[in-house]
Amino acid sequence: DPSRERRRRERRQSRNEDDAEQERRRRRGHRATDSSGDVLPRPPRNPRHSESERESPSPRKKRHSTPGQSSSGSRSRSSAPLSLDAIAKLDKANAKKAGWSGYDYDEDYLIEVRRKEAKLEKERVKVEKAEKRKEREQDREVEQRRRAYESETAAAEEEARVKRERRRLEREEMEKERQRKKAHTDDERDERRRRYEEKHTPSERAERRERRREERKHRTEDKRRRVVSGPLAEEGGIEDDDEYRYMMEKRGGAGPPSDYIQDEAKRKKLKRIIIGVVAFLLLLAIIIPVAVIVSKKSKNDDPASSSGGGSNKPSNSNLDGISESDIPADAKGTILDPFSWYDTDDFNVTYTAAMVGGLPVMGLNSTWDDSVQANPNVPKLSDTFTYGKMPIRGVNVGGWLNMEPFITPSFFEAYSVKDNIIDEYTLCTKLGTQCKTKLEQHYSSFVTKQTFVDIRNAGFDHVRIPFGYWIVTTYDGDPYVKQVSWRYLLRGIEYARQNGLRVNLDFHGAPGSQNGWNHSGRQGVIGWLNGTDGALNAQRTIDIHDQLSQFFAQPRYKNIITMYGILNEPRMVDLNTNDVLNWTTKAIDKIRKNNITGVLVFGDGFMGLDNWQGKLQSDDNLLLDVHQYVIFNTDQISLNHTDKLNFACRGWTAQSKRSMDTTTGFGPTMCGEWSQADTDCTEYINNVNIGTRWEGNMDTGNASTSILSPQCPLKSSTCSCDKAIADPSDYSDAYKQWLYQFAVAQMISFEYGWGWFYWTWDTEKATQWSWKKGVAAGILPSKVYDK
């Protein structure tokens, strides 16, 4: 700081001048002076001298006038300055030599002089230190102000950046909402036009257009005409008024409406209201069912809707019969408030706070029908399905109520590697409050009423429904969407009932994660029966089973939920086996105590079927669940097609037979998951942004689990995923035939046990993991019981 440096120089110059003045004053003589250079008063004379002696001339003055000294008594320029003590000693010595003491210094006087000088020196030093301290404080203050300014500047810049980012996100959200409303408006326009065309014959429509042209031709020129935008004018104008309004809304209009247009609009609005009331009373029973069917079909056929981002919001017409005032104030906006639901179709929207096991029954109808038969090969729901004698032929609806990246990659492709969005946990953490909106749209559209109709038509008799623990509750720090998926599970069960499909409830994600894989909700460390909160999370899982088993022990679920899953794929190879077995026994006791009488399903934990002989034999209605794939280890993925087919026929058949025999295995055994995939090339099948074993670029970041050399049968640089992920229309006939045979071979092998569930019904684009897409591609039988 230049000003501060200038002040320092001035202070130093002032001190130098003071020091020079003090030195000058001291050089006047040996008279005693204070520290500032002022001459002190003479001390009193020694009382031992007589009055006459005091009046006589002083011999000192003569001595001081000796050569080398001036008559004034000043020292020569070459002599060193004398201190006060030195002068006093000199005077005493001269007085002793001359026999006369002259003006002698009193000892107390000298002490007082030295004390005063010392005091003045201390004050000077104190002032100097105070000045230095003040300078340091000023320097610190300046530095603090500089740092505060830099901090405030950085904070302001960060706040501005955050505001810019927030505005950008708001603009994007507004644009998406505008597009959604625009699409919805377009659909309504198209629907009105379709109704109009259905109601009037072509000749009537032509006659109406001709009549309107004649009316416009006879209008006077002084009436205000409609202003048509440039693009519309180039297209030659619009003949039909509905077409005009439709096109103006699509293209953004051309300007404010004229008075004529407003009056005409009012008349037409009144006319439409009258016509609408009459039409509503006459056509309600026909139009609504048709619209619902068309809407559902468009959702199922639209790839965008299958990703959870579809713009076709459900009609929610069943809300028309109730009022928001019917919902208590404390329930508004909660899972008990149907006006806060994204989708109310096929739900009972009459408010009720009734709970069973602490879980709401809101949305359920009080009646049900169990007389439905899925197909001629199985009994209707009200009759007994003889497990062990009748093969289970089921399908999973994976990726619906719990996210799995390879099933719905659109949720994860939007993010870069550095975002590290790899599972439902990180996805909801990233989306924040938007996660509820995104996932509820997905719940509503990915699996619908038509889905269960299609599953039945494909010949299935069972459906396995996976879900995570957040369907019941969440805990501190959880980003998951709490309980919203619960009502979709209940509606899905009712859709299954309407099609005679029995349900296998699959607890797919436990608190803490029972396997550390993304389909458990959170990828990474196993926190269930393991780690700091392992025991806590194990007990939380028991508590959730307590609630679920109480709810599904209700009479309405006795015939439909015939299989109850305890926990999907606990990774027992990385857990203490006895701990898992003891926990499973506790879970069985809790579920049975709450009156669940159906088959309880537990996973093999990847220990191998032969290692379950003699375990968990206390309950005679348990079913061992194994998941069979040929792509998740290097030994099987490296087999050629002939060997893979033989392995499915011979290896899995032999395993099923051994496991079903209690002398060599557990007993009742089924395959709860399998697929047609013969490579691990599907996007995200090995976790998000991880490579493949097939091509040898599977880098997990861990040397013990990474596969960095090609594992396709050739095991060379020619291994490529291009054909494996190609569109099915590009499959060769030989490959299609092999895929078909591979699927049938697995079905036959698993039916040597209790049966199987295919993984999964549908995916966004992975054909070899989707039964729906596989049938369409001709690589799966159209009826599972006709193969």
Side-chain angles (χ1 to χ4, degrees), residues 94-101:
N94 291 336
K96 193 171 185 179
K97 290 179 181 179
W100 180 72
S101 61

Side-chain angles (χ1 to χ4, degrees), residues 164-414:
R164 289 195 300 270
E165 181 65 13
R166 186 184 303 116
R167 286 195 295 268
R168 184 184 67 79
L169 294 175
E170 289 175 351
R171 287 194 298 270
E172 291 178 355
E173 197 63 31
M174 290 173 61
E175 179 61 20
K176 291 179 182 178
E177 181 66 15
R178 190 186 68 80
Q179 293 291 343
R180 186 191 67 77
K181 290 182 178 179
K182 181 173 176 292
H184 184 64
T185 302
D186 293 345
D187 291 342
E188 290 180 346
R189 296 287 183 269
D190 293 339
E191 180 64 16
R192 284 202 299 269
R193 176 170 294 184
R194 184 186 64 79
R195 293 178 184 175
Y196 171 79
E197 291 175 353
E198 290 178 351
K199 185 177 179 181
H200 299 85
T201 64
S203 60
E204 290 175 339
R205 294 197 298 271
E207 182 180 354
R208 183 184 181 189
R209 286 194 295 270
E210 183 63 26
R211 185 169 61 254
R212 290 191 177 187
R213 277 195 294 269
E214 292 295 324
E215 290 175 356
R216 282 195 293 269
K217 191 180 297 182
H218 291 86
R219 289 173 186 161
T220 58
E221 290 296 325
D222 60 327
K223 287 185 178 180
R224 298 181 181 179
R225 298 183 180 274
R226 292 175 177 161
V227 181
V228 182
S229 62
L232 289 179
E234 292 175 5
E235 293 171 5
I238 303 297
E239 296 179 352
D240 184 79
D241 187 67
D242 290 339
E243 288 183 358
Y244 169 81
R245 292 180 178 275
Y246 171 75
M247 292 299 295
M248 291 297 283
E249 289 184 12
K250 281 185 72 67
R251 292 185 178 270
S258 64
D259 295 339
Y260 171 78
I261 294 175
Q262 291 177 341
D263 294 339
E264 190 71 7
K266 290 179 181 179
R267 288 193 295 270
K268 290 182 178 180
K269 183 177 180 181
L270 179 60
K271 182 178 179 180
R272 286 196 186 98
I273 292 174
I274 297 173
I275 295 174
V277 171
V278 176
F280 179 83
L281 296 175
L282 295 176
L283 304 176
L284 181 62
I286 298 174
I287 294 176
I288 291 180
V290 171
V292 170
I293 292 173
V294 171
S295 175
K296 294 294 184 182
K297 185 177 186 305
S298 65
K299 286 182 186 177
N300 291 332
D301 293 341
D302 184 8
S305 68
S306 66
S307 67
S311 60
N312 294 328
K313 191 178 186 302
S315 63
N316 296 342
S317 58
N318 51 346
L319 289 175
D320 296 340
I322 63 172
S323 171
E324 291 191 57
S325 61
D326 297 336
I327 311 300
D330 59 349
K332 290 186 182 298
T334 70
I335 59 173
L336 302 180
D337 179 9
F339 290 95
S340 69
W341 299 354
Y342 173 77
D343 183 357
T344 65
D345 287 354
D346 294 323
F347 284 115
N348 181 356
V349 293
T350 302
Y351 172 80
T352 175
M355 300 275 179
V356 177
L359 296 170
V361 300
M362 178 71 186
L364 287 174
N365 292 301
S366 59
T367 60
W368 63 90
D369 180 11
D370 286 346
S371 64
V372 186
Q373 185 179 14
N375 61 68
N377 298 285
V378 295
K380 57 186 179 181
L381 294 176
S382 57
D383 296 335
T384 302
F385 191 100
T386 310
Y387 289 107
K389 295 182 179 180
M390 298 177 177
I392 300 168
R393 293 165 178 155
V395 67
N396 288 271
V397 283
W400 176 34
L401 302 182
N402 66 315
M403 302 302 295
E404 193 155 351
F406 90 90
I407 297 176
T408 55
S410 62
F411 279 93
F412 300 86
E413 290 171 336

